[in-house]
Structure formats: structure tokens, C-alpha cells
Amino acid sequence: MSPAGLRIASDTSLQSGTPLELTFCVGEVCYLHISGQVLFCTESRSNQAHHIGVAFSAIRDWEQLVLLSALKELGDSSRTRNKSLVTIKVSRDRYAIAASEIQNPSSNTLTVDEGNGSESSSETLTASPEPSSSDNVPLWHAIAPIVETPQTSEIEAAPRIEAPCFTLLLNGEDLDTRSYKYCFYADKLVSEHRAVLHVLRQLKRGRIPAKVKDYIFATYCIGGRDTNQAAMRAAHAASKEFRFFSLAQRMRIATDIHGLLVDHKKQLIDLMVKEGHPLRLAEWEFTGMEQAYRKESLEFYSQHLRAKIGVQGEESFYLTRKPDGVVGVCPPRNAPCSSSLIAGFALLAGNTLIVKPPLHMPVSTIFLWKNVVNKALQLNNAPRGTLNIVTGNSSLILEEWITGNYVNDILFIGESTTGLEIGRRAFQWGKKPVLELSGNDMMFVWRDADISSAVESLLDGFMGSTQICMVPKKAFVHEDIYQQFETRFVEAIKTLRVGLPSDPEVLLSPVAKMGKFQEFLYDALSKGAELLCGGTRVDHRGLPDQDGPFILPSVLRISDEKTAIDMKCVRDENFFPLIPLIKVSGTEAGDKQSEKDDLIFKKMIAAANSNAYGLRVSVWVKSEQLIETFMEQIHNSGLIRINCRHAGFSPFLATHGGTGRSGGPFGELNYVWQKTSHLQGIALTQSKQSTE
């Protein structure tokens, strides 16, 4: 046993994630009550017992002191022999009960008080089972996978309510499928769970509550069995014409996308906030969308889509990129609107599109593609069917894209394991996978760095509670400035707070993977890391709550970089607010500063290039010589940002793309206009005209 958790032997098997209640007693005197969660369960060789790891949830400082003191006393006390020390009760988590209530609306009991979560991963290729009642399911998850995600191709219709309805787009026409789902205000999901569940249960029974408009801001259409098939046929037919649009015409479309995007900034940000993106996060997302389509970048892209590369004698040589055809686009749940817009560059290459927004909170994505991209296509007389928008069962839609005859490329944005499997299957069927997957971004801070700027950049790692792929998720810091950097960073974190998404001061989001956070934290602490701050589960007011939807920003100190590589929080992606600071030491090299620096540099390069992921790397260093060396030797990333904001955006450079598990075997900086086209060389000799 330790203050982080305990390991027990049991004749009962418990699934990972099972919530527990633990009561610590001496005889009949109970001195502490803590909630916990199963981290792992392994069967012993004798098959007569199970070894179960339990992590404590949101243990507070005073509880830790009590526990440590009690453990010390109990260890030396003969009074505790043959007496029960801890009673463990396997209980259903309140959010799991909420999920059960949604699945079984006939129940008359409602036991959810508070709680929330945020879906972050992409929908999987194969339909996932509904959460069992013993899973630790946040309410936001309970509403999304159970209510919104169908297990068959047909989706149960819901009553139409008086709210803006977001229809689909098929062959140039709005498509009202007469099958609707609802978007709840994220603020209400965070602060009024009981009321939200009541509204949802009434709607599932076909009733429309009197105050439904207070909780639902939009409805949206769900595609039926034939919607995706019709979209594929429409996109295929349109591609036969759109591929012959001149590069100048396609450039005008991209330019108009930028103009319309700016015109609709307020509506887009407002919709993203209603869906659950903190205002500051939504504004950052919009910045990336807008900068990607600026004039200087579009002109740079056009130069690489068609260029004259040389002349020899009477022969001229050209390189041109030709469109692949139809591109299916599957954005993630955590940032579908902003992430999906990179697919607009497939239009610049001459492709047609089918865009499938996620089933959970898709309206900002639908609004973007209908009111910005489709409007730009209409202004430039693109053929009907150039853009199609469908919703429905992700598993079946992706399967039809992969195995059908009409889709040429699949742009999948989401979690690595799912994405790599989709890429493998797409490749087997002769389709081109364009993968934009998970990130495990690293920051490196040299001893001459601008510490204030580096600290500010690392704070971006907590945007959306670190549930964004391209934010910094760990920092490797030169030992000479480590303490100064740590002090400033921990102090800066005090300015961050939880709250409702609409609050302009809030940066943190409800955390989807509570169990994973506890697993990663327990793993790090058991291997020598120290928790400097955070780790407490709280409600939207910032008050400690063992069932709260938020986790306070958490920082780990790792004093030995050699042990760091074995920690999950360093090796894998942290998709929750946990940032480790790793002190990189050169003491083994001796006393000379140059020798110490050389060793520290090699350790930093090794960490960067051994990362299984490879989206972004940022470096903070002033030495011009080291800048060049960092640029030359870091090869395992799609983008390196030196002395500039890690999560920033720059002209000419793509916003996405990476190597390893971030982009698959063909991963690199992701110019979608390049990925969805193929290179063609042209040699031209002008024929001599007769002078007769």
C-alpha cells in the first residue's frame, strides 16, 4: 500500500476502470474513506487468486497525511493482527447509473447529481459495445455513445423540436432525412445534469418537455441506409467535371473560403462553445483555420501544384499534380470543425469530397462546410456533388468508403490505433489513406532559453485539458535552469481554472479519460515522479468532487531522465491535464560545461527521435549554433517550432501532419493538396509551324 493506491489479492476478478469505495478501519474505528478505481487485474499462476491494482481518486493532502500516519502506526502495531484494515466496496459509479438510465428510460429513478465528460477519440471502425453499468462512464460519454451512436445502419427517429435544424448536403441539395438528434448546451451538460437527463428521457419517449429550448440549441439530421451510397455516387459524378477546373478557378474557391470563414467567425465560435469548447480554445482553433487559408500560403501551394522546372533545347519540362478523385473525410470528435477544414485543400487539388461529421455535436462542422465551403463552391459554379455531407454509423460509412468503387482517398483524423487499422484496410483495398492521428508532443528548453516565453508556450498544453493532439504534453529542461523553469511554470498554472465553456476566462474542459489519468499518474508516482500540483477531481466550480468532470492541472517532476522513458506519461500520449517536467542532467560527463552540454544535447535529441509519435516538436534556445544543430538532427516530427509558440500557426507550413503513430508509414507534414493528388511529369516540345 502507498498514498497513491494499493495492490490486493482477491478471488474475484474486476475489470479495469471499475469504481470502488474504500473504508480504512482499525477494529471498529473507521478513520478514512476514499474512492478508488481498478487499474489492472491479473490472474495468478495458481489460478486461485487475482492480483488487483487500485488507485485512489482525488486524494487530498490531509487524507494523504492521515493515511501515511496510520500506515506507520499500523505497521508496528500488534493490535491490528487478524483484524480488518480496509473494506472495499465495488459500487456503480454515478455516471454509469446515468448511462443506464438513458439506456432504460422506463426507469423511474434518477440518481445523478453532477458530473460531465468530453468525448475526445474518433469513432472506431467497428461499432463498439455499449458501456456496461460497471464502467466509469462520464455523463457526456453516456449521452454521446449510447444515444447518438447507432449499432445498426438505421437510426431511431426522434421528435422534431422548435430549434435550428442542420440538414445534410447531397448532390448540391439540402437533405432533410426526417430523422433527428439533439445538441444540448454544453453549459447545461456541465452544470445541470439531472435536468438534461430528464429532458432526454422525455424525448426518447416521444414527448417534448416545456422548457426544451433551455437545454437544446439545435437539432440535426441523421442519414439513412442509402444516404452515404448516394453521396458517393454524387461525388464520383462531380469529380469527372471538377477535376478539369483550372488551377486559377480552384484558387478562387480557396480564396473565397478564407473570406467566408472570416465573415462567419462569430457564428462558428459561438457554435463551438455551445458544443463544449472553452471560448479561448475555440478562438485558437479559428485562428488555425483562418491562417491556413491566407493568400501567401495559397500562392505557395499553387506554385507546387503546377510548375515549369526547366528547359533543354526545344524541350520544356513541367511537374503537375493531378487529383485522385473522391476523398472521404472523417474528422475527430474532440475538434471536428477546425480539424476537418484541412480537407478543403483536397478541393484545391481538384478532388470532390464526402464529409462525415461525428454523431456527437456535429453542428459547427455542418455549418462550416455548408455556409463556408459549399458557398464558395457555389460562387464559382462548381458542379453539383462536389461537396456532400453525411452522418450516420461511422463503422458502416467507413466500410463502404473502403470497399466501394467510388472513394479514392480516406482522410481519417483521430486516435492512432483505430487510424492505423483503417489505413491498413484502405491500403489493402487499393485506397490511399491520409492519416492525421494522435500526438505526444515534446518541448525542449535549453539553458539559455527565454524562460518566460517557454513557460507561456507550455501553458498551451492545458488547452481543452490537454485533449488536443498538437499541444505540448511534456517538457525536457536543461538542468541548469530546471528549478527556475519549474517554479515559474507551477506559479503560472495558478491562473488556470475550470468552469463553463462560455466563460471567457476558462481554458480547461471536462476530462473524458478519467481512468487513464489515474493509471498514468499512479504509474509515474510508482516509478519516482513527484506530483507538484493538481491531480484533484473537481466540479465546474472548482470544488473537490470525487465524481467531478474536471481535473485540476497536474504537473509532475521527473528528476532522472533515464527513468522517464519507462513512464507512460512520457512514452505515451497524455490526453488529460498531466504534464511532466523532465530534468535533463549532464553530471555523468564531469565538471566541464561544454561536456555536460554535449551530453544533455544528445539526450534531448535521443528523446525527440525515439518518440513513437511525431506531430510537433518545439525548442527554446538562443545559441545560433545549437539552433542549426537542433534543426539538423531532429527528424521525428512533422513540424519543428524554434523559439515560437508550440501550438502556433505559421504561413506556408501545414497546420497538421507527423511521423510514426501520428501519421502512419507515410506520415509527414500534411499538405492535404499534396496527399490527395499524384505527381505527374510532362515533357513538351513545341511543334514547328510551317512557314509556307
Side-chain angles (χ1 to χ4, degrees), residues 77 88 106 120 211 451 459 538:
S77 176
I88 301 175
S106 60
S120 302
K211 295 184 178 181
I451 295 179
L459 277 180
V538 298

mmCIF file of all heavy atoms in Angstrom, residues 77 88 106 120 211 451 459 538:
data_model
loop_
_atom_site.group_PDB
_atom_site.id
_atom_site.type_symbol
_atom_site.label_atom_id
_atom_site.label_comp_id
_atom_site.label_asym_id
_atom_site.label_seq_id
_atom_site.Cartn_x
_atom_site.Cartn_y
_atom_site.Cartn_z
ATOM 1 N N SER A 77 2.008 -2.055 14.932
ATOM 2 C CA SER A 77 1.051 -2.355 15.998
ATOM 3 C C SER A 77 0.582 -3.795 15.933
ATOM 4 O O SER A 77 0.129 -4.278 14.909
ATOM 5 C CB SER A 77 -0.164 -1.417 15.876
ATOM 6 O OG SER A 77 -1.133 -1.771 16.840
ATOM 7 N N ILE A 88 -13.398 -2.904 1.080
ATOM 8 C CA ILE A 88 -13.514 -2.429 -0.295
ATOM 9 C C ILE A 88 -14.895 -2.785 -0.815
ATOM 10 O O ILE A 88 -15.289 -3.950 -0.815
ATOM 11 C CB ILE A 88 -12.433 -3.045 -1.198
ATOM 12 C CG1 ILE A 88 -11.044 -2.698 -0.661
ATOM 13 C CG2 ILE A 88 -12.590 -2.552 -2.630
ATOM 14 C CD1 ILE A 88 -9.926 -3.373 -1.417
ATOM 15 N N SER A 106 -37.505 3.684 -19.145
ATOM 16 C CA SER A 106 -38.702 3.324 -18.396
ATOM 17 C C SER A 106 -38.492 3.401 -16.903
ATOM 18 O O SER A 106 -39.435 3.404 -16.121
ATOM 19 C CB SER A 106 -39.142 1.903 -18.770
ATOM 20 O OG SER A 106 -38.101 0.980 -18.470
ATOM 21 N N SER A 120 -13.319 12.534 -26.833
ATOM 22 C CA SER A 120 -12.118 13.020 -27.486
ATOM 23 C C SER A 120 -11.643 12.149 -28.613
ATOM 24 O O SER A 120 -11.007 12.612 -29.542
ATOM 25 C CB SER A 120 -10.984 13.146 -26.465
ATOM 26 O OG SER A 120 -11.352 14.006 -25.437
ATOM 27 N N LYS A 211 -39.697 23.153 -21.335
ATOM 28 C CA LYS A 211 -38.526 24.034 -21.362
ATOM 29 C C LYS A 211 -37.388 23.452 -22.199
ATOM 30 O O LYS A 211 -36.220 23.687 -21.911
ATOM 31 C CB LYS A 211 -38.039 24.292 -19.936
ATOM 32 C CG LYS A 211 -39.039 25.068 -19.095
ATOM 33 C CD LYS A 211 -38.467 25.391 -17.719
ATOM 34 C CE LYS A 211 -39.443 26.216 -16.888
ATOM 35 N NZ LYS A 211 -38.879 26.549 -15.556
ATOM 36 N N ILE A 451 12.938 31.916 -20.774
ATOM 37 C CA ILE A 451 12.122 31.070 -19.904
ATOM 38 C C ILE A 451 10.669 31.528 -19.880
ATOM 39 O O ILE A 451 9.743 30.707 -19.917
ATOM 40 C CB ILE A 451 12.711 31.028 -18.484
ATOM 41 C CG1 ILE A 451 14.081 30.345 -18.521
ATOM 42 C CG2 ILE A 451 11.777 30.292 -17.524
ATOM 43 C CD1 ILE A 451 14.768 30.282 -17.170
ATOM 44 N N LEU A 459 2.108 26.368 -21.248
ATOM 45 C CA LEU A 459 0.767 26.506 -20.679
ATOM 46 C C LEU A 459 -0.310 26.108 -21.683
ATOM 47 O O LEU A 459 -1.390 25.658 -21.305
ATOM 48 C CB LEU A 459 0.527 27.940 -20.211
ATOM 49 C CG LEU A 459 1.054 28.344 -18.837
ATOM 50 C CD1 LEU A 459 0.709 29.799 -18.562
ATOM 51 C CD2 LEU A 459 0.498 27.454 -17.741
ATOM 52 N N VAL A 538 -12.530 17.776 -9.576
ATOM 53 C CA VAL A 538 -13.372 18.868 -9.071
ATOM 54 C C VAL A 538 -14.610 19.028 -9.939
ATOM 55 O O VAL A 538 -14.685 18.516 -11.066
ATOM 56 C CB VAL A 538 -12.586 20.205 -9.034
ATOM 57 C CG1 VAL A 538 -11.400 20.119 -8.090
ATOM 58 C CG2 VAL A 538 -12.129 20.608 -10.445
#
